[in-house]
Structure formats: C-alpha cells, structure tokens
C-alpha cells in the first residue's frame, strides 16, 4: 500500500512538473510561432486582422467574431459610380490555411431607371481577395515571430 501511494505521488509530481515545463522554457522551441494564433472567440487572429486590414478601404456592415463573419457595406469608386460591390468573408477554421476562409463577392450595376441589378463576378476577383488576405496574414505571423 505504501509503494502504491509513493508511485501515485511520484506520478503526480512528474505530471505537474511536465505541465509547467512549457511555462519555464522546458519545451522544444522548434516550431514555436507556427501554431495559429487563435482568439478567445475561436477565429484565427492572423486571418481576422488580415481581413480587416485588406478590406479597410470599404465600410464594414457586419463584424461578428462570434459568428466568424465579416461583411462590408456596398462600396463603389469614383471611377465606376454605377457599379458597387459587397464582400463577405466567413471563417471556417482556426488554422492559418488557405481553406480557412471563404470569400463571397456580390457585384451590382445600376440600370438606367436607377435600380441595381446583380451581375456576375469574375472568379479571379474572388481569388485575388483571398490571396491578399492570406498574404497579409502571413506578414502578420512573420512580424510576430521576428
């Protein structure tokens, strides 16, 4: 019985010290910073900030971290006042990966009567927005590590 109690105590001590090793530098630091920075709301922080940075030229309609969605309001430029776009980014994973976000873009053109008509968006436009967000997220991660 005494051996059993001693074994349990030793095992408890080993487990407690093992849990503390990450706090005191006992962990191997190879790969440190490669793990995704996840916010308390379950969204990858790098992707979240990168999306806000990338779309900052547009007004935001909905920024909902708990639902993992960022939606812009309609945006048009002085060069094309009869065309407007709206972007929605959904966060699908806590990982910093290309399939962790889904970008949707709606484009509308104004008809002669003033009504807005939804028109197709080129697939390359969606891809460019995704690539911009991912590139910015990588920059943020590198800056954090360096």
């Amino acid at each position: 019985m005494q051996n059993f109690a001693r074994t349990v105590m030793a095992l408890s001590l080993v487990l407690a010290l093992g849990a503390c090793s990450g706090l005191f530098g006992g962990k191997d630091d190879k790969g440190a910073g490669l793990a995704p920075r996840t916010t308390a709301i379950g969204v990858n922080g790098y992707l979240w900030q990168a999306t806000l940075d990338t779309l900052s030229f547009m007004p935001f309609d909905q920024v909902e971290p708990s639902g993992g969605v960022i939606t812009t309001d309609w945006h048009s430029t002085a060069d094309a006042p009869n065309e407007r776009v709206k972007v929605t980014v959904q966060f699908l994973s806590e990982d910093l990966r290309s399939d962790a976000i889904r970008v949707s873009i709606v484009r509308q053109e104004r008809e002669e009567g003033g009504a807005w008509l939804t028109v197709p968006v080129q697939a390359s436009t969606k891809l460019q927005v995704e690539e911009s967000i991912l590139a910015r997220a990588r920059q943020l991660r590198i800056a954090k590590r360096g």
Side-chain angles (χ1 to χ4, degrees):
M1 185 67 150
Q2 205 171 24
N3 285 340
F4 177 75
R6 219 178 284 171
T7 303
V8 169
M9 205 135 132
L11 185 59
S12 298
L13 182 60
V14 167
L15 290 174
L17 289 175
C20 293
S21 68
L23 296 173
F24 299 109
K27 244 184 182 175
D28 181 14
D29 283 336
K30 289 181 188 170
L34 295 180
R37 187 184 93 187
T38 303
T39 62
I41 52 177
V43 174
N44 183 284
Y46 297 123
L47 286 174
W48 185 263
Q49 186 60 52
T51 301
L52 292 174
D53 292 351
T54 302
L55 300 177
S56 64
F57 69 96
M58 301 177 78
F60 290 107
D61 181 41
Q62 178 184 15
V63 178
E64 191 178 317
S66 60
V69 176
I70 295 176
T71 303
T72 67
D73 204 352
W74 290 106
H75 175 71
S76 59
T77 63
D79 297 343
N82 291 325
E83 179 182 311
R84 65 184 186 177
V85 295
K86 187 174 199 164
V87 180
T88 299
V89 179
Q90 294 177 306
F91 297 84
L92 308 173
S93 171
E94 294 178 4
D95 297 329
L96 179 52
R97 300 175 3 173
S98 61
D99 61 352
I101 59 171
R102 179 183 306 138
V103 174
S104 303
I105 302 174
V106 178
R107 180 175 156 246
Q108 293 183 337
E109 291 180 354
R110 190 184 335 237
E111 294 180 317
E112 285 188 31
W116 290 97
L117 178 67
T118 300
V119 294
V121 177
Q122 293 180 359
S124 62
T125 303
K126 179 183 156 227
L127 186 60
Q128 287 173 344
V129 172
E130 286 177 352
E131 288 176 352
S132 295
I133 292 169
L134 293 168
R136 179 65 182 141
R138 282 190 293 271
Q139 289 173 345
L140 292 170
R141 187 182 92 189
I142 290 168
K144 178 76 174 174
R145 291 174 53 197

